[in-house]
Amino acid sequence: MNQKFPKGEIKSIQGRSFTIKGDDIDTDRIIPARFLKCVSFSALGEQVFADDRKELKGNHPFDLDHNKGANILIVNDNFGCGSSREHAPQALMRWGIRLIIGESFAEIFFGNCLALGIPCLTASKEEIVKLQNLVEKDNNQIWEFNLKNLSISNQKETVKLILDEGPYNMLYSGKWDATSQLLDEEEKINKTFNNLPYLNNFKKEL
Amino acid sequence: MSSRTLYDKVWNFHQVKELSGGSTQLFIGLHLIHEVTSPQAFSALNEKKLGVKFPNLTVATVDHIVPTSNQQRPFSDPLAEEMLATLEKNCKAHGIKFHGIGSNSQGVVHVMAPELGLTQPGMTVACGDSHTSTHGAFGAIAFGIGTSQVRDVLASQSLAMNKLKVRRIWVEGELQKGVYAKDLILHIIRLLGVKGGVGFAYEFAGPAIEKLSMEGRMTICNMAIEGGARCGYINPDETTFEYIKGKEHAPKGKEWDKAISWWKSLASDSKATFDDEIQLDGSSIEPTVTWGITPGQGISIKETIPNPELLPKNEQQIAKDACKYMNLKPDEPIEGQSIDVCFIGSCTNGRLSDLQEASKIVKGNTVAAGIRAFVVPGSQKVAKEAKEKGLDKIFLKAGFEWREPGCSMCLAMNPDKLEGRQISASSSNRNFKGRQGSANGRTLLMSPAMVAAAAINGKVTDVRKFLQK
Ligand code: SF4
């Protein structure tokens, strides 16, 4: 949990991997609402999947000893749906997750992960099931994710992954932290402001 | 002849720049903030030594953590108090207008902003809350964002966004008596699935939509996100203008006429091209209730719990999980399922007309023995207007509790929670596992009138039976 958070260009990620199975895993499950009562994200790593873990009494993937230190998570369909809480990717990141691969992601969750420098990549259902099986066969194997090739590999087997061009470029160039890029455009922002009828007493002719 | 959608037009007005990497820098006309998703954004600003670019375009309120029984400061929960105090401090430091407890304008952020006339057609609206889609009811592009993006909007009044595709959902006919906007949207999510809208904005249109009040339209757009669509919208029309007219922040005098002509020009062109279109018949929809653990698991009150084995393959596993979690058996009717708690409120259904419809069912009846039922108005304005109409008395007399405004048991960040395996009939928007404050609590989503009927009978009930009486 004391690894460094993502920074700059993200072109490859190496590490051990594990799976969380199931479709439509919502952000209320990833981090239950009671843990949102905080003014800082710092404690969230401990609380990831709190209720699911309690129910499984130590047998949840996030509790199993052999998953400690793993940084790649393989999930199924529509992962991260529901609430927009960035607390969900924050909790995953602070636990140690640096890359998520699944059949599909909810849009806000995907964007929140990208803003933290955590790539979310997809593959077909068949490929994900294959990857999950491979991962579960041996918890100790090291997986290598390569952004340029859009693939993840354990030396023997390689699974092709999908990522849109926009997020790809942001990760590749290290510009996934949008703030500075947005601030560069001061003049254009002001121009847009001045052209919006509702911010200018509807004076502007169309 | 132009063939653009409202989404295209509003997007174009707000485009600042094409960013390297293919996304667009989009200007945000109205930024709403609350206590849960903003504190870390302000901390990040301070760390980066950045200010708030347009403090006038951000508006704050407090809703998620407020207690609804006693709102005396300091709150008895020190964490809740700390969150509110932090928001107050941040707003003060950056010159942001804050609608706090006792301001007469506090409320669930998606209820209070439209009420004040802050939400208007043609705007881009962003808020660190997924139900920001609500504001699309006015013909705005409105969507939820995460905390890093809240930081970006504060710093630059803009966001890096990718343009969505647009699916038009055309609803023919007219909703039947006892069928409400909530039933319609639950039905749509059932049809298209909880991720059917990923990558899309939903345009809701057609005769059944046009006949809805603004409050009904807000219910529809509010739950677009439950169908995976980050924003949903409805073209502005006379109903929209009528609602906005005279509100605190509405354009006045000469500006009003100019505003109307601009707003009218924004509606999707009659020849607009959509990336996808679907049609359905509103008059055939029945009162709808969710039985499972996603908002897509809805059925009409006349149906039975689906047999997972008979569902499409990709829905089977989640349906099995849902049956187990909810402790409901396939082929049992949903009507008559007993319940423990009834909750009327939230940004989906905590507005005046919601309370009015529910009060019609409650009037002259009594809450069934053993049922805990409570009403949480969506805002201080809703509470005031409801009291003026005597609705609080109707609910109290029937055995409901009448609370102060807030999010309350929609997500249970305040003391209002389910306990243990309790099952609720709820007018809110999410039936996820553990959503209402107990890790194994259960939620049945339905319209506020249906919740009222369930409270009286102590079990899931077809509200139309009350309306016939
Ligand atoms: S009422 Fe519920 S859904 Fe709406 S903002 Fe509050 S917690 Fe979120």
Side-chain angles (χ1 to χ4, degrees):
Chain A
M1 242 181 265
N2 32 28
Q3 311 163 42
K4 288 209 181 77
F5 296 145
K7 224 179 158 186
E9 298 164 8
I10 296 171
K11 293 182 175 166
S12 66
I13 292 168
Q14 260 199 359
R16 289 185 295 118
S17 173
F18 66 100
T19 67
I20 288 277
K21 286 191 176 159
D23 293 344
D24 305 319
I25 291 181
D26 57 76
T27 52
D28 271 84
R29 278 174 70 190
I30 299 174
I31 187 82
R34 61 182 182 281
F35 299 116
L36 272 49
K37 259 194 240 168
C38 55
V39 293
S40 140
F41 289 128
S42 55
L44 293 177
E46 313 272 351
Q47 297 152 348
V48 67
F49 281 106
D51 288 341
D52 285 11
R53 285 161 77 178
K54 199 166 154 204
E55 196 185 320
L56 292 181
K57 302 188 178 77
N59 289 317
H60 190 276
F62 275 89
D63 283 322
L64 296 174
D65 274 339
H66 57 247
N67 289 338
K68 296 258 150 70
N71 58 358
I72 302 170
L73 187 62
I74 319 291
V75 300
N76 291 104
D77 203 23
N78 199 28
F79 188 77
C81 59
S83 157
S84 63
R85 57 189 71 164
E86 187 173 306
H87 304 67
Q90 286 277 358
L92 291 165
M93 178 179 81
R94 283 161 199 275
W95 188 92
I97 299 300
R98 292 293 175 271
L99 167 67
I100 313 178
I101 296 171
E103 290 166 47
S104 77
F105 296 90
E107 222 156 280
I108 302 180
F109 179 85
F110 180 97
N112 284 343
C113 286
L114 185 62
L116 298 178
I118 298 178
C120 294
L121 287 97
T122 59
S124 68
K125 189 177 190 68
E126 293 69 41
E127 293 284 287
I128 291 294
V129 172
K130 176 178 143 193
L131 185 57
Q132 286 181 328
N133 290 337
L134 285 169
V135 160
E136 285 179 355
K137 242 190 241 158
D138 173 10
N139 303 304
N140 279 320
Q141 54 191 327
I142 299 293
W143 290 87
E144 173 136 13
F145 160 70
N146 184 309
L147 181 69
K148 202 156 183 204
N149 299 341
L150 286 178
S151 68
I152 186 161
S153 162
N154 63 352
Q155 308 295 330
K156 288 179 236 112
E157 304 258 6
T158 301
V159 175
K160 279 301 222 184
L161 304 171
I162 304 166
L163 183 66
D164 279 349
E165 195 188 332
Y168 175 96
N169 288 336
M170 287 165 90
L171 292 163
Y172 196 83
S173 62
K175 284 187 181 165
W176 45 267
D177 174 2
T179 322
S180 57
Q181 225 188 334
L182 296 174
L183 282 170
D184 282 346
E185 301 303 331
E186 177 95 32
E187 211 174 294
K188 289 205 167 105
I189 294 171
N190 292 336
K191 195 170 156 228
T192 310
F193 176 99
N194 290 326
N195 281 325
L196 278 168
Y198 64 89
L199 296 178
N200 295 279
N201 310 321
F202 296 92
K203 261 192 290 224
K204 287 267 167 204
E205 283 307 315
L206 304 178
Chain B
M1 172 152 192
S2 161
S3 58
R4 294 185 304 157
T5 62
L6 175 138
Y7 184 83
D8 293 329
K9 298 182 201 180
V10 177
W11 180 275
N12 285 353
F13 266 104
H14 294 84
Q15 236 168 338
V16 175
K17 192 191 172 204
E18 294 297 326
L19 297 170
S20 62
S23 60
T24 301
Q25 182 168 0
L26 196 71
F27 188 90
I28 301 302
L30 174 64
H31 182 214
L32 303 167
I33 59 171
H34 59 80
E35 74 284 12
V36 179
T37 55
S38 71
Q40 297 88 348
F42 282 107
S43 307
L45 271 196
N46 293 342
E47 265 165 42
K48 294 190 181 218
K49 304 213 170 16
L50 293 169
V52 176
K53 182 155 172 62
F54 291 109
N56 291 340
L57 301 187
T58 294
V59 176
T61 193
V62 58
D63 49 10
H64 286 68
I65 51 93
V66 298
T68 57
S69 40
N70 178 359
Q71 298 190 331
Q72 247 355 27
R73 298 284 299 276
F75 294 157
S76 57
D77 174 352
L79 286 174
E81 177 62 29
E82 186 191 4
M83 294 182 84
L84 171 50
T86 305
L87 181 61
E88 287 172 327
K89 191 185 78 201
N90 286 329
C91 287
K92 202 157 172 219
H94 294 279
I96 293 166
K97 171 81 182 159
F98 176 56
H99 297 268
I101 305 276
S103 65
N104 295 323
S105 50
Q106 172 266 342
V108 181
V109 60
H110 312 307
V111 179
M112 57 75 73
E115 260 170 12
L116 293 170
L118 287 165
T119 308
Q120 295 171 17
M123 288 180 162
T124 45
V125 184
C127 172
D129 190 285
S130 59
H131 292 100
T132 307
S133 57
T134 311
H135 306 265
F138 290 80
I141 299 185
F143 47 83
I145 55 178
T147 297
S148 296
Q149 292 178 309
V150 173
R151 173 201 63 201
D152 291 347
V153 179
L154 290 170
S156 73
Q157 204 60 39
S158 62
L159 282 172
M161 296 293 292
N162 289 302
K163 202 171 173 188
L164 299 167
K165 292 182 281 186
V166 180
R167 171 179 294 141
R168 185 171 69 173
I169 300 175
W170 184 269
V171 191
E172 279 295 337
E174 188 174 1
L175 301 183
Q176 301 291 299
K177 200 168 184 202
V179 179
Y180 305 88
K182 180 65 157 288
D183 302 295
L184 172 55
I185 189 64
L186 285 173
H187 181 79
I188 290 173
I189 299 168
R190 174 194 188 177
L191 281 182
L192 301 180
V194 289
K195 63 159 210 162
V198 173
F200 284 95
Y202 279 173
E203 173 174 317
F204 300 100
I209 299 289
E210 284 162 26
K211 282 178 200 123
L212 292 174
S213 69
M214 278 320 291
E215 300 200 342
R217 294 179 187 189
M218 283 190 253
T219 302
I220 301 280
C221 292
N222 174 276
M223 289 190 73
I225 184 65
E226 306 309 330
R230 196 171 184 179
C231 56
Y233 70 86
I234 294 171
N235 288 308
D237 61 8
E238 294 304 325
T239 306
T240 321
F241 310 147
E242 197 48 46
Y243 177 97
I244 298 172
K245 198 170 186 177
K247 296 258 185 307
E248 193 176 327
H249 291 271
K252 308 256 155 48
K254 276 197 204 117
E255 271 180 39
W256 174 255
D257 297 327
K258 287 190 204 154
I260 296 237
S261 70
W262 186 60
W263 292 343
K264 282 186 174 161
S265 75
L266 297 170
S268 292
D269 299 319
S270 57
K271 294 219 162 44
T273 38
F274 297 91
D275 300 286
D276 189 35
E277 284 184 72
I278 70 143
Q279 269 211 28
L280 57 130
D281 176 15
S283 46
S284 65
I285 295 170
E286 300 200 77
T288 300
V289 180
T290 64
W291 60 273
I293 52 174
T294 81
Q297 289 172 319
I299 49 177
S300 99
I301 185 75
K302 291 286 163 235
E303 287 178 89
T304 54
I305 310 294
N307 183 338
E309 308 287 345
L310 302 179
L311 289 173
K313 210 155 178 24
N314 59 342
E315 292 175 26
Q316 290 185 0
Q317 188 54 47
I318 186 107
K320 279 183 204 158
D321 288 354
C323 283
K324 183 163 167 241
Y325 183 83
M326 298 298 288
N327 195 24
L328 292 173
K329 293 193 186 55
D331 305 322
E332 271 179 15
I334 190 74
E335 190 171 9
Q337 287 294 336
S338 59
I339 44 130
D340 305 304
V341 177
C342 289
F343 170 62
I344 297 178
S346 88
C347 60
T348 312
N349 283 125
R351 298 189 177 81
L352 185 66
S353 60
D354 298 315
L355 307 194
Q356 279 174 308
E357 290 303 324
S359 74
K360 286 183 201 161
I361 310 300
V362 167
K363 195 167 187 176
N365 290 308
T366 321
V367 171
I371 303 288
R372 184 173 152 231
F374 61 115
V375 181
V376 183
S379 71
Q380 292 179 340
K381 276 201 180 9
V382 171
K384 180 166 170 274
E385 285 169 27
K387 279 187 189 161
E388 282 164 8
K389 293 186 184 301
L391 303 188
D392 57 331
K393 299 225 169 56
I394 296 175
F395 283 110
L396 285 164
K397 195 164 169 223
F400 276 81
E401 296 170 47
W402 178 265
R403 296 292 191 79
E404 301 292 336
C407 291
S408 180
M409 213 177 69
C410 175
L411 95 164
M413 273 186 79
N414 76 344
D416 308 331
K417 293 179 182 15
L418 290 182
E419 285 163 27
R421 286 289 279 157
Q422 275 185 334
I423 183 163
S424 77
S426 179
S427 74
S428 54
N429 44 48
R430 287 189 173 138
N431 51 347
F432 299 152
K433 289 180 177 177
R435 170 75 178 182
Q436 292 190 294
S438 160
N440 49 5
R442 298 170 291 165
T443 304
L444 306 175
L445 301 175
M446 58 190 84
S447 74
M450 285 282 285
V451 175
I456 309 286
N457 283 353
K459 56 191 182 195
V460 177
T461 301
D462 189 338
V463 68
R464 292 173 298 192
K465 290 183 180 154
F466 280 84
L467 296 169
Q468 279 157 9
K469 275 185 197 167

